Amino acid sequence: MRIQKRYQVPFPPETVYAAWVSSDTVIPPATAMDIDPVIGGRYVLIMKSPEFEARNEGTFIAVEPGKHIRYTWEWNGDGEVSEIDVRFLPAADGATVELEHSGFTRAESLETHDNGWDSYVAGLTRFIGEKLQN
């Protein structure tokens, strides 16, 4: 099972890519990121609140700076290791982000992540806009 999404973002592909792979890009509900965006590099995404704590980890499989990344994704040690493939393409008004998230073994997981991607890209767009204004 897989998710395929396409987003229009009003920033150049290089800017969107740089934010996507930066440890400084913390989009709620995440509270911390640690990213090493090189082939074989790891990342850790942490969500921590009084009510909830989760951790996501993975490894970069492909890295083409400014254009493309592919990495594994395991949510909170649940044993379901999926793969995310993201392309950052030039568009007339910014960038087109093409995302494929594959390897789901549970329909519930696919649905949760499908909604999560929409929320993440909206948060990323806000984050970049705020960063560029400062």
Side-chain angles (χ1 to χ4, degrees):
M1 292 186 286
R2 67 183 162 162
I3 297 166
Q4 290 182 294
K5 298 268 189 179
R6 187 180 184 105
Y7 300 98
Q8 297 301 126
V9 182
F11 308 105
E14 299 80 13
T15 300
V16 181
Y17 170 89
W20 197 290
V21 299
S22 172
S23 292
D24 295 331
T25 305
V26 179
I27 308 299
T31 54
M33 294 282 295
D34 184 17
I35 301 174
D36 183 17
V38 298
I39 294 173
R42 305 258 322 140
Y43 75 89
V44 178
L45 173 145
I46 297 168
M47 290 183 243
K48 196 171 191 177
S49 75
E51 302 83 30
F52 180 76
E53 190 168 327
R55 180 183 183 98
N56 177 67
E57 298 184 63
T59 303
F60 286 92
I61 300 165
V63 177
E64 190 176 351
K67 297 178 181 180
H68 175 237
I69 51 175
R70 193 169 83 234
Y71 52 100
T72 62
W73 174 272
E74 182 178 12
W75 179 253
N76 216 25
D78 69 358
E80 180 182 64
V81 178
S82 55
E83 190 173 294
I84 299 166
D85 193 294
V86 188
R87 297 192 183 276
F88 305 88
L89 307 169
D93 58 350
T96 298
V97 177
E98 293 182 346
L99 180 138
E100 181 174 309
H101 192 162
S102 60
F104 292 99
T105 58
R106 298 183 314 272
E108 178 185 350
S109 180
L110 182 134
E111 184 178 325
T112 300
H113 285 86
D114 190 29
N115 294 330
W117 282 118
D118 294 343
S119 177
Y120 176 77
V121 173
L124 180 70
T125 302
R126 282 191 304 276
F127 177 88
I128 295 170
E130 290 168 5
K131 189 172 181 177
L132 291 176
Q133 287 179 345
N134 293 332

